[in-house]
Amino acid sequence: MTIREFKMPDVGEGLTEAEILKWYVQPGDTVTDGQVVCEVETAKAAVELPIPFDGVVHALLFEEGTTVDVGQVIISVQTGEAQAPAPAAAAVEAEPAPAARQPVLVGYGVSESSTKRRPRKAAPAPAVAAQNGTAAPVAAPAPAAPAAPAPLPAVPAQPSGERPLAKPPVRKLAKDLGIDLASVVPTGDGGVVTREDVHAAAAAAITPRTAAPAAAPAAAPAAVAAPVAPAAAPALDASVRETRVPVKGVRKVTAQAMVGSAFTAPHVTEFITFDVTRTMKLVQELKADPDLAGLRINPLLLIAKAVLVAIRRNPDVNASWDEAAQEIVLKHYVNLGIAAATPRGLIVPNIKDAHAKTLGELSESLSALVATARDGKTSPADMQNGTITITNVGVFGVDTGTPILNPGESAILAVGAIKLQPWVHKGKVKPRHVTTLALSFDHRLIDGELGSRFLADIASVLEHPRRLITWS
């Protein structure tokens, strides 16, 4: 028997720390290779971490709510691997000497870094160390919870003795679908199993799988609620005049990104107020269309489509600034960002290749994006490589704003509230649905003329939605 340690991994996004939101296991529980043992929150998203070996949980080294540096040991597991007897006082907290470089994938740990980090203030010391063969865990051992369902019998597609490489979302997907990663033929760089590989393996399977996927979603509400609880805990006290809230997670990275964007890209914001009565009528007509039955049809969907049409007419707005190469990078694809307010803070996932989607496909993507963000399950990959963003401040009854660019993007469109207002229509004052759009853009990439034409085209499509056809 030996004690194996699992370190806080680098999820492959260059992050340096993560907060442990929830432990799914306790000392004494049996774990299997690929089983999710905890949920952590990085600066970008919440991620579930699978353990990369079998055994019995020996100790949890950090409590929930603790921020841990990448590379620190977070859990130790007693495995059945035979090794030469070690002295009884061998400490679990002792770091093993680094061996050959390991793949930088969640579940595999990381190689030692030469980067020097400043000491963390008031960081809790590891709560567990094995001394004289006795563990002092964070919490007393609870009754062993049922182990996660073991993967299906392997149909080896990997070389014998090697473990398949895959990132946590892919491992979670495979587990939910009942697919053994060892049976999947990898197509990713360096032999990494991708989501597409898992879906292909699931499609080839004939046996129905219903019980295993149902197990993972059942735990989701607790995982999502965890970070919200601290905000509700403090009771109001008239004698308390201030409350300090630690800046971490999504809030921390959002603050850094907004400061960097505001003082790097020269922002210009333009506004336009116009009549969207025809668009609102079209929304109602599309809702009644049997070809779109079951899809979520709302003004945001048509606004997104209008933005895509305007980009096609003004392709130079879809670009980024490469400071190092001193080049403007013109994008021939649109990854359309949608700003979403979540319990963990503001995030901006994007719809990949939105320009190539039909109205129905765009509706499905928007619904999936919102649902995933609301559940706190947006992955880092979903928030990368955006080109232009829409932020809908109108849902809060706000008329407009001056939005700050998402770093690396060329423009962001703020959509104001749609209200019935007196409006001159065909020479008479009538009640019409009116809204205001605000477009902020990077003046290094977009000059006043291009920005004005782009914003005017968006408004023109929404004022006369037939242009969704004539300009497409």
Side-chain angles (χ1 to χ4, degrees):
M1 300 295 247
T2 186
I3 300 297
R4 297 189 64 179
E5 298 172 334
F6 179 59
K7 299 179 180 180
M8 178 66 74
D10 178 358
V11 297
E13 308 298 333
L15 303 174
T16 59
E17 62 186 20
E19 177 186 353
I20 297 175
L21 295 180
K22 183 176 182 64
W23 283 108
Y24 294 119
V25 296
Q26 293 295 325
D29 289 354
T30 299
V31 294
T32 57
D33 184 356
Q35 178 179 340
V36 173
V37 295
C38 68
E39 182 182 30
V40 302
E41 182 183 30
T42 70
K44 296 185 177 181
V47 178
E48 292 180 327
L49 301 183
I51 198 82
F53 35 79
D54 300 334
V56 177
V57 177
H58 180 254
L60 309 180
L61 278 73
F62 291 94
E63 296 179 348
E64 293 177 359
T66 305
T67 299
V68 182
D69 289 338
V70 167
Q72 282 191 280
V73 177
I74 59 174
I75 182 174
S76 60
V77 174
Q78 188 175 28
T79 67
E81 297 177 1
Q83 275 194 347
V92 172
E93 61 192 0
E95 292 287 337
R101 180 175 177 80
Q102 296 175 305
V104 186
L105 287 173
V106 172
Y108 291 86
V110 293
S111 57
E112 297 294 331
S113 171
S114 60
T115 305
K116 299 297 183 183
R117 292 177 52 84
R118 62 179 177 79
R120 181 178 306 284
K121 182 171 70 175
V128 179
Q131 294 182 351
N132 299 323
T134 303
V138 169
L152 295 177
V155 180
Q158 302 281 341
S160 178
E162 293 188 11
R163 297 189 62 257
L165 303 181
K167 291 189 177 181
V170 179
R171 289 183 174 276
K172 179 68 163 52
L173 175 65
K175 181 180 177 182
D176 289 348
L177 295 179
I179 301 297
D180 186 350
L181 284 176
S183 69
V184 179
V185 178
T187 62
D189 294 340
V192 175
V193 177
T194 66
R195 279 182 173 271
E196 291 71 20
D197 298 335
V198 174
H199 282 301
I206 300 177
T207 306
R209 318 227 195 278
T210 55
V224 173
V228 182
L236 293 177
D237 186 341
S239 64
V240 177
R241 296 173 61 84
E242 293 181 350
T243 300
R244 290 181 174 267
V245 179
V247 180
K248 55 186 177 180
V250 174
R251 175 66 64 186
K252 180 177 181 179
V253 77
T254 299
Q256 293 170 342
M258 292 300 97
V259 170
S261 177
F263 292 98
T264 300
H267 285 54
V268 174
T269 304
E270 294 186 340
F271 308 88
I272 188 168
T273 302
F274 59 100
D275 181 357
V276 291
T277 303
R278 292 185 181 92
T279 287
M280 298 303 289
K281 290 180 179 177
L282 179 58
V283 168
Q284 297 306 315
E285 292 172 3
L286 293 175
K287 285 182 176 180
D289 190 328
D291 290 337
L292 297 175
L295 297 178
R296 184 175 177 81
I297 308 297
N298 55 23
L300 180 60
L301 173 63
L302 296 186
I303 291 168
K305 197 65 176 177
V307 169
L308 296 171
V309 170
I311 290 173
R312 179 175 294 184
R313 287 172 55 83
N314 304 275
D316 287 352
V317 304
N318 193 40
S320 63
W321 182 271
D322 188 334
E323 181 67 29
Q326 285 295 290
E327 293 175 340
I328 292 175
V329 183
L330 299 176
K331 308 292 179 65
H332 304 302
Y333 59 90
V334 182
N335 289 345
L336 185 63
I338 304 294
T342 74
R344 293 189 176 98
L346 179 70
I347 62 174
V348 188
N350 59 74
I351 300 172
K352 308 299 184 189
D353 294 325
H355 65 286
K357 295 183 181 294
T358 64
L359 189 66
E361 292 169 342
L362 194 61
S363 173
E364 291 175 342
S365 297
L366 271 171
S367 297
L369 178 150
V370 171
T372 303
R374 185 184 297 120
D375 292 341
K377 299 300 181 183
T378 302
S379 70
D382 292 334
M383 294 182 281
Q384 289 184 327
N385 303 319
T387 57
I388 287 179
T389 289
I390 297 173
T391 177
N392 186 9
V393 298
V395 296
F396 305 108
V398 175
D399 291 332
T400 190
T402 54
I404 297 177
L405 294 171
N406 204 29
E409 299 184 9
S410 59
I412 180 171
L413 180 75
V415 180
I418 299 174
K419 300 177 180 178
L420 271 176
Q421 295 183 17
W423 195 262
V424 178
H425 178 67
K426 296 181 178 179
K428 296 181 180 180
V429 177
K430 297 181 179 181
R432 305 285 287 181
H433 286 97
V434 177
T435 192
T436 299
L437 300 181
L439 179 74
S440 292
F441 53 87
D442 186 339
H443 216 341
R444 297 173 300 178
L445 298 165
I446 303 173
D447 59 25
E449 178 189 4
L450 178 58
S452 299
R453 283 195 283 109
F454 178 55
L455 181 58
D457 279 354
I458 297 172
S460 184
V461 171
L462 295 171
E463 192 165 13
H464 304 282
R466 67 176 181 273
R467 287 176 176 155
L468 286 169
I469 299 173
T470 59
W471 284 2
S472 293

